[in-house]
Amino acid sequence: MKINIDKLFQNKIKELKVTPPYGVWSSIETKLKRRRMLRFFGVSFVSLMSFMFLFSHAEKIVTTDLQKNTTTKQLVKEDPANKFSIVPEVKTTKKVSLFVSDKSKEGHLKLTSTQKISSPKNSRKLSSNYKKQESVKEESFQKVITNTVFEKKLKKFDYSVNNLDSLKKIKKKDLKKKRKELVKKNDAIDSIKFEKDKRKRWNIIPVLGVSNSGRFSKNTTTLGSQRAVTYPEKYFDDNQSSGLISNILGFNIVFRATNRISIQTGIISKELRFITEGLFLTEFIPDVNPTNIVYNPGVEVRFTNTPEIGGAYSESTSLTQTIVYMEMPFELKYRMFGNLKFNTNFIGGFSFLYLNKNEIRAKSNLLSRSIGKADNILTTSLSVNLGLDIEYHLSKRFVFNSAFMFKKHYNTYLNYGNEAAPYTIGMHAGIGYKF
Amino acid sequence: MSAQAEIYKLFADKLFRVCLKYSKNYQDAQDTLQDSFLMIFKDIKKFKHKGSFEGWAKRVTVNVALQKFRDKSVLQFDAMEDSNISEEDVFVDVDEKNISLDFLLSLIKELPPKYQVVFNLYILDRYSHQEISELLKISTGTSKSNLSRARKILQEKINNSTNKSL
């Protein structure tokens, strides 16, 4: 039988099934370890020196920023028109931990080969003498065979139909298994890439974004709880208070600890704004105005939530409360989807918040100015942070990052519970530098 | 198990098959496989997820195997070979079931290295003549000519062996 020589080789080579002996992996592993050791000794000294330099440099920036704030606030304190407190000195300490991956041994490996065995052919001969006599018998015999074959096929079909669900399940299991293997394979590739990319484990990402604030408690303004004279059942706290869009500005520093986990910190200026509407302006009623406002010198007017009090008043007054925190987050990022080029991370952690600005502005048809500050906001507080972010590595050095964050504040007010403490929902983005 | 061990486990068999085709013997194939994996782990950053990882790993293995040929200086192509190009299909009169894989592999290994490499690349690993010419730094004509000669030699040897067995 003539056969194309190309096809002969191509067909036969498919039968080649071999497994390399275990010794190959052992020697690869030994060489890899040796290479890693050499690289470690060569690079570790230089890396250590550069990290130390970067750490000391970053610490200087933080200290300078805080010193600037302190100086500014001390200057403010000297101004008799204001009553801000002095900023205490803050010291930051940082710890870096290194992770070393485990190595395990390769399993037993076999050498196998396959061979095909051709099956013998069967033949049947009929005697011509009995042809006529047997023809009738043969016909009936054929019928029986046909019926039997048909019945068998029918049974097989019934069996297939009945077992369709189980077949589906098996197929699904196979698909799941294959998907798992693929994920495992990609993960392994990413791990090695990560090992190779170790020298660029730090990112510094400028953060620019917006957030909106809210409270879980019902419409409380947190500006005071004085009861109205004309409407004794009405308290100032009952007034509608809602969050306003505010800005987020700062930078994050990210350390990629492993292929999947990163640690994130930074310094962010975070603004929270609340507006309280439906107020009235008055000159004479000091006992129904919000109790938690410390008025600036020269502010003679007060506010009420009832229109019938005597004196001149405006019907459209609102108070906007602005709180700005210096935020220092400590967050863990876990890579859920994607690869080292483009990925999605789950973020969880907490933030230290330091009160940087506390202001209440009034706006009506008579005035629009800063009238004072709230006296019930604590200087330091905390927030618990949850979020999702995406990372797209634009090049070896630059990475685009965008995050969607939910942050619940705790220990915000002096005389209100954590239910009244605000939460923020924000989104920020930035292009980071890897080093 | 480390990621590298995982990759080895997934691809060792397939890449060893490639190594066996391009190596003189089993021991050489093991050495090629070892060097190929070291090269794959070193250059894994260069894999840009364009195409399959297996395809990329096979190319690395083929390159390592070819480098071994070059190191031994056995891969010298003659530019004058361009004139002997025959692109006709070559047939052998045998029963495929009666021919063993080991026999065919031994025939490939008996070929002169330059024919062996081109035959392996074109027939078994499905490279095009253009790709072979770029890989081996030869003209497409030389690649075609070497393939044609390899086919003729193999045809002759297979026919001889079947005649003997008859």
Side-chain angles (χ1 to χ4, degrees), chain B residues 44-93:
Chain B
I44 200 154
K45 259 179 85 178
K46 290 179 186 168
F47 173 60
K48 305 284 181 196
H49 290 279
K50 286 174 188 168
S52 71
F53 180 76
E54 189 184 325
W56 178 79
K58 273 186 181 172
R59 278 176 185 269
V60 172
T61 309
V62 167
N63 279 331
V64 170
L66 291 180
Q67 192 52 48
K68 283 193 183 283
F69 274 105
R70 286 192 197 101
D71 292 346
K72 288 173 188 168
S73 305
V74 289
L75 214 56
Q76 287 169 349
F77 291 90
D78 188 356
M80 298 298 286
E81 287 169 333
D82 290 22
S83 54
N84 302 310
I85 301 168
S86 162
E87 290 192 68
E88 285 175 10
D89 285 343
V90 175
F91 292 90
V92 282
D93 195 9

Side-chain angles (χ1 to χ4, degrees), chain A residues 66-314:
Chain A
L66 289 169
Q67 275 171 353
K68 270 183 193 171
N69 288 338
T70 314
T71 320
T72 319
K73 283 180 180 172
Q74 278 170 344
L75 284 170
V76 169
K77 193 204 166 194
E78 281 163 27
D79 183 355
N82 290 294
K83 289 176 181 177
F84 289 95
S85 56
I86 300 166
V87 182
E89 197 181 335
V90 175
K91 282 182 182 175
T92 55
T93 55
K94 291 177 182 180
K95 283 181 182 177
V96 180
S97 59
L98 292 169
F99 295 82
V100 182
S101 59
D102 290 323
K103 304 275 171 282
S104 60
K105 284 178 182 177
E106 178 64 15
H108 182 68
L109 300 161
K110 287 177 187 174
L111 173 68
T112 57
S113 64
T114 56
Q115 283 186 337
K116 287 184 180 177
I117 301 160
S118 58
S119 61
K121 291 178 182 175
N122 294 322
S123 60
R124 191 187 292 167
K125 288 177 183 176
L126 292 168
S127 168
S128 57
N129 297 336
Y130 293 97
K131 264 186 182 175
K132 285 179 185 175
Q133 293 172 0
E134 292 293 317
S135 61
V136 181
K137 278 185 183 178
E138 201 179 313
E139 267 179 30
S140 61
F141 182 67
Q142 279 296 336
K143 269 185 185 176
V144 172
I145 286 175
T146 316
N147 286 341
T148 318
V149 169
F150 181 72
E151 271 176 14
K152 271 186 181 175
K153 281 191 175 174
L154 202 65
K155 273 183 184 173
K156 204 176 177 182
F157 180 72
D158 279 349
Y159 176 79
S160 302
V161 170
N162 291 334
N163 289 284
L164 210 59
D165 283 343
S166 60
L167 284 171
K168 268 184 187 175
K169 275 180 189 172
I170 292 165
K171 205 81 184 160
K172 267 187 184 176
K173 268 187 184 175
D174 281 357
L175 275 171
K176 267 187 184 176
K177 203 178 168 187
K178 276 184 184 170
R179 211 173 293 149
K180 269 186 183 174
E181 274 175 8
L182 198 71
V183 169
K184 217 174 174 184
K185 200 164 86 181
N186 283 340
D187 226 35
I189 294 165
D190 278 349
S191 300
I192 294 174
K193 278 191 171 186
F194 173 74
E195 289 289 321
K196 294 275 161 199
D197 209 26
K198 256 184 177 173
R199 268 177 272 181
K200 290 188 275 294
R201 290 169 82 166
W202 293 86
N203 291 351
I204 181 157
I205 307 170
V207 171
L208 189 66
V210 290
S211 73
N212 202 350
S213 316
R215 293 190 182 97
F216 289 125
S217 60
K218 285 178 188 171
N219 303 333
T220 177
T221 68
T222 72
L223 291 178
S225 57
Q226 190 69 276
R227 195 170 63 176
V229 174
T230 322
Y231 298 92
E233 75 287 357
K234 196 169 183 181
Y235 287 80
F236 194 88
D237 271 2
D238 297 334
N239 271 55
Q240 183 74 35
S241 169
S242 53
L244 291 171
I245 298 287
S246 313
N247 60 57
I248 304 165
L249 191 68
F251 66 90
N252 273 335
I253 296 171
V254 185
F255 173 71
R256 290 195 299 156
T258 70
N259 175 25
R260 285 205 177 264
I261 295 168
S262 304
I263 301 160
Q264 180 169 276
T265 183
I267 293 178
I268 296 163
S269 169
K270 182 183 172 184
E271 190 182 61
L272 282 80
R273 292 196 304 152
F274 293 97
I275 186 165
T276 309
E277 290 173 306
L279 300 177
F280 304 94
L281 199 63
T282 176
E283 291 176 17
F284 307 109
I285 315 295
D287 60 335
V288 292
N289 74 88
T291 50
N292 293 330
I293 297 178
V294 178
Y295 291 93
N296 287 338
V299 178
E300 300 298 334
V301 291
R302 299 289 183 264
F303 302 88
T304 173
N305 56 351
T306 53
E308 277 99 0
I309 305 295
Y313 57 83
S314 157

